[in-house]
């Protein structure tokens, strides 16, 4: 559906080259919700804007619906853009047009007859739940309502793809939840492929099937959301995950724990099936070792359980090395050195 | 010297008509020309759709030269051109010509400033929907800037009422001419007073109309 093939985008600003997107290869499948997460300046917006050629790649290819967008003549590019809806953090509604006018605008561009526009706008307004707001101006709407209009406007020409640039970042948590639910419905009811970017891990956790983590223009990690959550490889990824999982120790708590627990601390991560088996106690018993659970959290992720414990083994545990080795055959085990662990 | 009020009122009426004619025609021509120059300035700006440093600088410098020159001096300086284009330097049309030129460049700046102020995100949204550059200029940029543009035009109208008084003194007719010949040169305070009151009323009407219309379009 969308394919980035070794895509780079370099900006020249004040004679300095900025590699906003650096050799990125990704493939987004039809019908999925794909999330890209990264801190501010990671290059997410630039990556997204390459899809509808608001930015032209410096090198590499961007393929949308089996067409290389970089080589499309401008007339056809405008046609293609009607197949790709886009929504924005700041909504970007036309202030001079009513809600109706905003949603009708892309249909007017596509030269749809007036009576069909009317029917289509009515349908979209009811889909986003704003039937009674047709004649209002954007200034009269709340943030959540504005984003609903943005979504309706982006869906007007029945696109195959919806791209979302921080669509919920300007909204309060409750409204964010509502908009995410709406996006999920867009995906399920209209079968629209969604590519979204965000700096908030809870957005990824709530609706994405797959995720890519971006840093300094590069994709540093990519995969199924569940796998990434369960087994992050990079520190940046772990930081994002712990921002929603609340399973990291604060430096202060770790200090306190280390004072009262002189043994070795390990973080043990269970996922999926592993949560239902008594792996930890079985293995400990086999090696005749004691352990002490000192911190833990269990989360649900895409219908599966996901647990994270911090466990203390006493310093004098005789066969600690083989024990840890066996344990790590079944679950993820990391020694807790500092508060980032 | 006494004023003959019987002939005075028809003259006031005639002069008011001349002033309104000058202002309205200048406004129409000036707005059209100003819109074109302003749009050119905007689209040839650095980083914009038709970026062109040469055209941009040319227009920019022209505006910066014409705008600060006091109108009465401009009027005299440009009179050879006025004669060439209009055929005379006396009369209402001979006043409209230089007024239009000044108005066009002032309006061009107003247009440019208001287009620059349109949120680039909105333009990008239209682009992402597949709008062409012309569709973006007409359907998005001008539409979004319409409220402040009308306020800018209102400001221009008020300035033109002022300009028309000056143009009048070099043969354009109108209220300024009347005030000068009757009031100033013949030292008749009452004529001055009447023309001033009429000018004030015209300004108020223009401002009121402008405010009312722009309010309809000011949405943000
Ligand atoms: N038009 C541009 N000109 C110059 N630099 C840009 C431009 N757009 C983005 N950048 C730079 O590219 C980098 C990535 O920006 P962006 O894609 O907006 O990141 P993100 O959306 O992840 O915050 C930043 O360093 C930013 O300053
Ligand atoms: Mg961004």
């Amino acid at each position: 559906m969308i394919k980035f093939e070794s895509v780079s985008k370099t900006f020249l600003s004040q004679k300095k080259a900025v590699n906003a997107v650096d050799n990125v290869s990704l493939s987004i499948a039809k019908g999925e919700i794909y999330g890209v997460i990264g801190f501010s300046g990671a290059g997410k917006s630039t990556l997204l804007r390459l899809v509808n050629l608001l930015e032209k790649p410096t090198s590499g290819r961007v393929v949308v619906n089996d067409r290389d967008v970089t080589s499309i003549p401008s007339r056809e590019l405008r046609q293609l853009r009607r197949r790709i809806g886009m929504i924005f953090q700041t909504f970007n509604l036309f202030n001079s047009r009513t809600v109706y006018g905003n949603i009708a605008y892309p249909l007017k561009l596509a030269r749809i007859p007036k009576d069909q526009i009317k029917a289509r706008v009515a349908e979209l307004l009811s889909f986003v739940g704003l039937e009674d707001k047709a004649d209002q101006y954007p200034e009269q709407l709340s943030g959540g309502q504005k984003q609903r209009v943005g979504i309706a406007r982006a869906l007007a020409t029945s696109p195959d793809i919806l791209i979302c640039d921080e669509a919920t970042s300007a909204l309060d948590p409750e409204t964010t939840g509502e908009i995410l639910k709406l996006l999920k419905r867009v995906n399920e009811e209209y079968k629209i492929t969604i590519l979204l970017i965000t700096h908030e891990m809870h957005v990824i956790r709530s609706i994405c099937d797959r995720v890519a983590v971006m840093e300094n223009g590069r994709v540093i990690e990519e995969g199924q959301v569940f796998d990434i959550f369960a087994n992050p490889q990079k520190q940046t990824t772990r930081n994002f995950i712990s921002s929603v999982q609340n399973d990291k120790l604060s430096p202060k708590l770790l200090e306190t724990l280390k004072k009262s627990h002189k043994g070795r601390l390990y973080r043990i991560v269970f996922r999926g099936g592993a949560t239902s088996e008594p792996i930890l106690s079985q293995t400990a018993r086999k090696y005749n070792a004691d352990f002490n659970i000192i911190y833990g959290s269990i989360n649900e992720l895409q219908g599966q359980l996901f647990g994270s414990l911090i466990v203390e083994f006493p310093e004098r545990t005789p066969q600690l090395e083989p024990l840890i080795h066996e344990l790590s055959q079944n679950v993820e085990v990391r020694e807790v050195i500092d508060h980032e662990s | 010297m006494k004023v003959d009020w019987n002939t005075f009122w028809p003259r006031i009426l005639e002069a008011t008509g001349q002033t309104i004619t000058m202002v309205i025609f200048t406004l129409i021509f000036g707005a059209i020309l100003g819109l074109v120059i302003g749009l050119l300035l905007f689209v040839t700006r650095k980083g914009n759709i038709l970026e062109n440093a040469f055209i941009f600088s040319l227009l920019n410098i022209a505006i910066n030269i014409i705008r600060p020159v006091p109108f009465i001096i401009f009027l005299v300086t440009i009179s050879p051109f006025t004669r060439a284009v209009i055929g005379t330097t006396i009369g209402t049309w001979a006043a409209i010509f230089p007024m239009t030129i000044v108005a066009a460049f002032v309006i061009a700046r107003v247009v440019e400033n208001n287009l620059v102020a349109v949120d680039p995100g909105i333009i990008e949204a239209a682009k992402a929907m597949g709008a062409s550059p012309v569709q973006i200029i007409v359907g998005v940029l001008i539409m979004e800037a319409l409220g402040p543009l009308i306020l800018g035009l209102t400001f221009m109208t008020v300035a033109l009422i002022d300009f028309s008084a000056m143009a009048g003194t070099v043969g354009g007719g109108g209220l300024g001419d009347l005030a000068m010949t009757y009031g100033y040169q013949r030292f008749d305070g009452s004529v001055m007073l009447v023309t001033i009151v009429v000018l004030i009323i015209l300004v108020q009407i223009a401002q009121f109309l402008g405010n009312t219309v722009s309010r309809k379009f000011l949405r943000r």
Side-chain angles (χ1 to χ4, degrees):
Chain A
M1 194 99 228
I2 307 171
K3 241 183 169 148
F4 297 92
E5 296 174 356
S6 313
V7 180
S8 295
K9 173 70 188 182
T10 307
F11 289 110
L12 277 175
S13 62
Q14 282 129 32
K15 303 240 155 50
K16 243 184 65 190
V18 179
N19 293 323
V21 171
D22 192 357
N23 196 19
V24 166
S25 297
L26 286 179
S27 173
I28 290 106
K30 191 169 163 54
E32 75 176 331
I33 304 185
Y34 196 102
V36 176
I37 190 165
F39 292 114
S40 175
K44 309 179 297 292
S45 295
T46 309
L47 184 76
L48 197 70
R49 292 153 54 84
L50 290 166
V51 175
N52 56 1
L53 220 70
L54 288 176
E55 302 288 358
K56 225 176 145 68
T58 314
S59 65
R61 291 199 331 152
V62 180
V63 181
V64 177
N65 288 346
D66 299 321
R67 293 212 52 184
D68 179 357
V69 293
T70 44
S71 61
I72 293 185
S74 58
R75 260 190 77 98
E76 277 180 64
L77 174 64
R78 292 204 281 274
Q79 299 289 334
L80 178 78
R81 281 176 173 162
R82 289 179 197 150
R83 321 278 345 122
I84 307 172
M86 186 170 189
I87 58 173
F88 307 84
Q89 176 172 6
T90 51
F91 323 122
N92 294 347
L93 301 181
F94 305 121
N95 297 307
S96 57
R97 295 174 195 268
T98 59
V99 167
Y100 181 94
N102 267 278
I103 303 173
Y105 183 73
L107 296 166
K108 274 190 202 155
L109 289 180
R111 298 187 201 288
I112 307 287
K114 215 169 178 158
D115 50 332
Q116 284 180 38
I117 292 185
K118 235 175 149 168
R120 179 75 181 140
V121 175
E123 183 188 330
L124 288 159
L125 279 173
S126 105
F127 178 75
V128 300
L130 292 177
E131 296 95 327
D132 53 336
K133 301 282 188 228
D135 298 325
Q136 307 238 294
Y137 282 90
E139 59 167 4
Q140 297 167 295
L141 304 178
S142 70
Q145 291 170 333
K146 283 183 192 168
Q147 196 58 290
R148 284 168 189 274
V149 177
I151 291 171
R153 185 176 68 172
L155 296 181
T157 49
S158 309
D160 319 308
I161 298 170
L162 180 66
I163 56 181
C164 316
D165 189 340
E166 305 264 6
T168 56
S169 297
L171 304 173
D172 62 66
E174 194 175 326
T175 316
T176 294
E178 289 166 12
I179 294 297
L180 291 178
K181 245 184 243 156
L182 184 58
L183 288 177
K184 188 88 192 163
R185 274 181 59 211
V186 168
N187 174 252
E188 284 168 354
E189 291 177 32
Y190 290 116
K191 308 279 175 247
I192 291 174
T193 308
I194 296 181
L195 171 59
L196 66 84
I197 64 167
T198 182
H199 65 272
E200 296 172 314
M201 200 62 177
H202 71 89
V203 171
I204 303 282
R205 185 176 61 178
S206 335
I207 62 166
C208 293
D209 303 310
R210 285 199 295 153
V211 61
V213 184
M214 262 188 106
E215 194 170 46
N216 298 326
R218 297 207 184 96
V219 170
I220 56 168
E221 199 160 351
E222 197 241 348
Q224 296 288 332
V225 170
F226 184 82
D227 296 334
I228 296 288
F229 263 82
N231 196 11
Q233 301 300 311
K234 296 284 188 334
Q235 192 55 49
T236 306
T237 315
R238 286 190 204 114
N239 292 344
F240 275 122
I241 292 171
S242 60
S243 71
V244 288
Q245 287 204 317
N246 184 31
D247 65 351
K248 263 224 175 119
L249 301 176
S250 69
K252 209 167 161 189
L253 180 59
L254 183 69
E255 191 133 317
T256 324
L257 287 177
K258 280 200 155 165
K259 263 190 201 128
S260 52
H261 299 273
K262 295 294 183 199
R264 309 225 344 224
L265 302 183
Y266 288 88
R267 178 184 290 284
I268 299 176
V269 182
F270 302 87
R271 49 177 153 141
T275 46
S276 60
E277 286 166 42
I279 291 166
L280 180 57
S281 59
Q282 274 175 4
T283 315
R285 197 175 308 129
K286 188 169 160 192
Y287 287 91
N288 206 9
D290 288 328
F291 65 89
N292 188 11
I293 297 173
I294 56 179
Y295 189 87
S297 70
I298 291 183
N299 290 282
E300 190 214 320
L301 197 72
Q302 298 188 333
Q304 301 194 60
L305 286 177
F306 178 93
S308 170
L309 299 179
I310 291 182
V311 168
E312 177 198 23
F313 288 101
E315 195 67 68
R316 53 174 197 287
T317 306
Q319 283 182 291
L320 190 57
E321 292 301 319
L323 192 165
I324 295 300
H325 181 75
E326 182 164 341
L327 209 50
S328 62
Q329 304 293 311
N330 298 305
V331 291
E332 185 193 331
V333 185
R334 275 200 313 276
E335 181 154 16
V336 177
I337 313 280
D338 54 25
H339 69 277
E340 298 282 9
S341 310
Chain B
M1 184 174 294
K2 284 293 268 179
V3 178
D4 178 357
W5 289 98
N6 281 332
T7 61
F8 176 73
W9 284 116
R11 297 197 66 160
I12 278 277
L13 220 62
E14 191 195 357
T16 308
Q18 285 169 338
T19 294
I20 292 175
T21 307
M22 281 191 275
V23 170
I24 285 183
F25 278 98
T26 304
L27 204 59
I28 292 170
F29 298 137
I32 294 170
L33 212 59
L35 193 63
V36 171
I37 300 173
L39 277 172
L40 265 177
L41 261 174
F42 179 77
V43 296
T44 56
R45 230 170 203 277
K46 202 170 153 55
N48 223 318
I49 14 180
L50 299 172
E51 179 173 340
N52 186 320
F54 178 73
I55 295 180
F56 179 81
S57 320
L58 198 76
L59 294 173
N60 202 31
I61 290 169
I63 293 177
N64 287 344
I65 289 175
I66 290 174
R67 279 219 307 177
V69 176
F71 181 64
I72 192 118
I73 293 173
F74 181 77
L75 195 64
V76 177
T77 317
I78 205 177
S79 60
F81 287 102
T82 311
R83 189 191 307 280
V85 175
I86 308 292
T88 172
T89 55
I90 300 168
T92 310
W93 288 99
I96 289 174
F97 179 72
M99 279 168 66
T100 298
I101 292 179
V102 172
F105 281 93
V106 176
I107 290 172
R109 188 63 94 200
V110 171
V111 168
E112 186 212 10
N113 285 345
N114 284 310
L115 294 188
V116 170
V118 173
D119 179 357
I122 294 177
I123 299 166
E124 193 164 286
K127 230 173 160 183
M129 286 172 213
S132 68
V134 174
Q135 287 169 328
I136 290 176
I137 289 172
V138 178
V140 179
L141 270 170
I142 294 181
M143 281 289 282
E144 289 292 306
L146 210 51
L149 275 181
I150 289 170
L151 277 184
L153 276 186
T154 308
F155 185 80
M156 192 67 235
T157 310
V158 172
L160 284 178
I161 294 173
D162 173 22
F163 285 5
S164 77
M166 280 190 258
T169 62
V170 293
L175 289 165
D177 192 17
L178 195 69
M180 289 302 264
T181 47
Y182 274 77
Y184 182 67
Q185 284 156 12
R186 299 188 201 170
F187 306 107
D188 188 327
S190 55
V191 174
M192 279 288 231
L193 203 67
V194 173
T195 45
I196 287 171
V197 169
V198 174
L199 284 172
I200 289 174
I201 291 171
L202 286 182
V203 169
Q204 293 298 328
I205 291 173
Q207 193 66 54
F208 173 77
L209 283 177
N211 288 349
T212 313
V213 177
S214 74
R215 203 169 302 128
K216 278 206 184 329
F217 295 99
L218 272 178
R219 299 258 168 219
R220 45 179 76 194

